[in-house]
């Protein structure tokens, strides 16, 4: 192999290497572009979560807490009414018992 043939072979190999490097650079640029698109979509999704979903979850939680408070107030009211009915029933039972004694 002569010096010129060797140089020609080396130049061919360098040309192939340059083509492959160019191809790799193009692929890297393509991947960078896609990564930027993904980043933008993730940012949009994060903003949507902050603006829409989190507010809706807060509203649901507030409604749940409010409903719990209403149930507690209703329970307290029903307990008071039941106590009143129990007192009235005791009085009526005692009165009926006295009247039955008088009737005998």
């Amino acid at each position: 192999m002569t010096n010129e043939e060797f140089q020609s072979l080396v130049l061919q190999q360098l040309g192939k290497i340059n083509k492959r490097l160019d191809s790799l650079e193009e692929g890297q640029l393509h991947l960078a572009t896609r990564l930027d698109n993904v980043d933008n979509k993730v940012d949009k999704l994060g903003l949507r979560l902050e603006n829409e979903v989190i507010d809706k979850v807060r509203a649901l939680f507030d409604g749940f807490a409010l409903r719990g408070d209403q149930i507690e107030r209703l329970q307290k009211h029903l307990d008071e009414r039941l106590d009143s009915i129990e007192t009235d029933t005791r009085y009526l039972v005692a009165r009926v018992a006295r009247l039955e004694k008088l009737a005998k």
Side-chain angles (χ1 to χ4, degrees), residues 11-90:
L11 288 175
Q12 285 177 354
Q13 293 298 323
L14 284 175
K16 289 179 183 179
I17 290 172
N18 281 336
K19 284 182 183 179
R20 291 183 78 186
L21 283 175
D22 290 343
S23 174
L24 285 173
E25 286 175 355
E26 285 179 28
Q28 187 178 8
L29 288 174
H30 179 70
L31 286 174
T33 303
R34 289 186 65 188
L35 183 60
D36 287 341
N37 289 338
V38 169
D39 283 342
N40 288 336
K41 288 179 181 180
V42 167
D43 289 342
K44 287 178 184 178
L45 183 60
L47 287 173
R48 186 172 181 195
L49 279 172
E50 288 177 16
N51 293 333
E52 295 177 19
V53 175
I54 291 175
D55 289 341
K56 289 178 182 179
V57 169
R58 279 192 190 118
L60 286 171
F61 180 77
D62 291 344
F64 180 75
L66 179 64
R67 184 60 76 189
D69 292 343
Q70 289 173 339
I71 289 171
E72 284 180 27
R73 283 195 305 269
L74 181 61
Q75 180 69 38
K76 196 181 256 186
H77 173 73
L78 290 175
D79 286 344
E80 289 171 1
R81 290 283 296 147
L82 189 58
D83 290 343
S84 174
I85 291 170
E86 185 180 359
T87 303
D88 291 345
T89 304
R90 241 187 264 133

